């Protein structure tokens, strides 16, 4: 039996077990997927334990996305540029392969909305924390022009240099109203919603406002965006699409059903609300 898990702290509200078990059950696979709390600072010791316990794949969430790299014996180019991994796979030589499926997860979630042709498109991204990094890498690779705005401008300049191969623009979040007119799409990666606040937006005129968060923390921002005339989308499909990429790595390229897992997640979030 294939033993899989998601590790993080906190981990209690993770939807990953629900997503992966839905696919494992639907496809009748001989595998298990659990959630395991691993406190900060215990990443490397925990990975040694998981090796001995026979785990073959792990999803990695906060606060371990960078710390797991110390134990990775093989890392994808995406992981190197993003500086973080969310998927580990046991190799036959006993090492761990590190991948970042948040990047293809974002482009797959946007493709689901019909957004696939990025050349000549301008994306306004808000926030320059951990959540922004995979998005920047993915959209830079896809050929989009990016304007990255952040409360702390230096952080925006810094991560553009780390995660992107091409040149893009950056600036303070206060420039939002001024540059918004140039954007085909806005992607919010800030954690403002987790602190109960939201970023004030100018009129959207029917353009897409995509928030990487979902559930209760996303609600005030998406309500505000909707009231300002933006078409809105939360990050739940990105979560499911990144899970699908991990699943595919672990199960020899199998592509699981996105819509089944998304429906199950929406139902679970509604029950929590
Ligand atoms: P995550 O890993 O979720 O991205 P993070 O690394 O702590 O979390 O980054 C949080 C991001 O949200 C940062 O870009 C932060 O801006 P600063 O770099 O200036 O701190 C942004 N952020 C958090 N709260 C915000 C708020 N109330 N308004 C605007 N930006 C906010």
């Amino acid at each position: 039996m294939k033993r899989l898990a998601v590790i993080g702290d906190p981990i209690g509200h993770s939807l990953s077990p629900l997503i992966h078990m839905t696919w494992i059950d639907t496809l009748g696979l001989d595998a298990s997927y659990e959630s395991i709390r691993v406190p900060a600072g215990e990443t490397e010791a925990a990975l040694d334990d998981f090796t001995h316990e026979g785990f073959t794949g792990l999803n990695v969430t906060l606060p371990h996305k960078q710390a797991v790299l110390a134990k990775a014996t093989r890392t994808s180019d995406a992981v190197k540029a993003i500086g973080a991994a969310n998927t580990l796979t046991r190799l036959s030589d006993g090492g761990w392969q590190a991948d970042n499926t948040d990047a293809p997860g974002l482009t797959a979630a946007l493709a689901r909305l019909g957004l696939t042709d990025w050349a000549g498109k301008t994306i306004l991204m808000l926030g320059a924390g951990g959540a922004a990094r995979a998005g920047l890498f993915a959209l830079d690779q896809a050929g989009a022009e990016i304007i990255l705005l952040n409360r702390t401008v230096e952080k925006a300049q810094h991560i553009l240099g780390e995660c992107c191969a091409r040149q893009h623009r950056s600036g303070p979040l206060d420039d939002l109203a001024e540059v918004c007119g140039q954007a085909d799409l806005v992607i919010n990666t800030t954690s403002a919603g987790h602190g109960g606040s939201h970023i004030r937006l100018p009129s959207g005129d029917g353009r897409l406002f995509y928030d990487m968060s979902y559930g209760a923390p996303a609600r005030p921002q998406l309500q505000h965006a909707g009231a300002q005339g933006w078409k809105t989308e939360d990050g739940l499909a990105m979560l499911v699409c990144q899970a699908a990429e991990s699943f595919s790595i672990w199960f020899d390229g199998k592509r699981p059903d996105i819509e089944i897992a998304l429906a199950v997640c929406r139902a679970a979030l509604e029950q929590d609300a």
Side-chain angles (χ1 to χ4, degrees):
M1 188 178 78
K2 219 186 248 299
R3 217 174 156 192
L4 306 164
V6 57
I7 63 164
D9 190 17
I11 201 66
H13 289 287
S14 172
L15 289 168
S16 294
L18 180 64
I19 297 170
H20 284 280
M21 284 312 298
T22 297
W23 290 331
I24 287 166
D25 289 345
T26 310
L27 295 166
L29 300 169
D30 186 21
S32 67
Y33 190 108
E34 56 203 282
S35 66
I36 301 174
R37 190 176 78 85
V38 175
E42 295 180 19
T43 324
E44 293 185 47
L47 285 177
D48 288 340
D49 290 347
F50 295 138
T51 303
H52 292 127
E53 289 163 14
F55 280 86
T56 50
L58 297 169
N59 278 135
V60 181
T61 186
L62 299 177
H64 304 294
K65 285 186 166 190
Q66 278 125 31
V68 293
L69 300 185
K71 283 280 172 186
T73 52
R74 204 189 289 168
T75 51
S76 66
D77 289 344
V79 168
K80 288 187 188 109
I82 297 163
N86 74 334
T87 305
L88 294 180
T89 310
R90 269 300 293 288
L91 295 165
S92 52
D93 64 6
W96 291 98
Q97 173 183 310
D99 289 288
N100 192 310
T101 66
D102 288 327
L106 174 64
T107 40
L110 292 170
R112 208 180 140 264
L113 304 174
L115 299 169
T116 50
D117 186 8
W118 295 106
K121 292 272 177 0
T122 300
I123 295 169
L124 180 53
M125 198 179 277
L126 312 178
R133 301 181 70 98
L136 288 173
F137 174 81
L139 295 166
D140 173 70
Q141 294 266 310
E145 301 303 322
I146 302 167
I147 305 173
L148 181 62
L149 301 185
N150 195 43
R151 215 168 40 176
T152 317
V153 188
E154 301 74 37
K155 264 165 84 177
Q157 290 161 344
H158 180 71
I159 72 165
L160 276 177
E162 284 196 352
C163 303
C164 298
R166 294 179 294 116
Q167 295 285 320
H168 300 282
R169 284 180 281 163
S170 59
L173 201 53
D174 291 340
D175 283 359
L176 177 57
E178 195 183 310
V179 298
C180 204
Q182 302 166 34
D184 295 293
L185 157 73
V186 174
I187 300 181
N188 180 29
T189 78
T190 72
S191 54
H194 292 265
S197 61
H198 68 269
I199 292 160
R200 290 176 63 80
L201 299 169
S203 176
D205 300 321
R207 287 171 296 164
L208 178 65
F209 180 86
Y210 188 93
D211 203 307
M212 277 200 193
S213 56
Y214 52 84
R219 232 165 269 144
Q221 183 70 67
L222 291 177
Q223 266 165 11
H224 168 72
Q228 290 295 97
W230 294 83
K231 209 164 65 171
T232 59
E233 184 75 18
D234 72 5
L236 199 58
M238 178 180 169
L239 177 79
V240 173
C241 288
Q242 65 76 30
E245 297 293 331
S246 301
F247 188 92
S248 192
I249 291 170
W250 297 328
F251 291 98
D252 305 320
K254 270 198 180 57
R255 306 303 307 184
D257 189 325
I258 302 291
E259 303 308 321
I260 285 182
L262 194 51
V264 171
C265 287
R266 288 245 180 259
L269 284 181
E270 259 164 45
Q271 239 176 16
D272 267 5

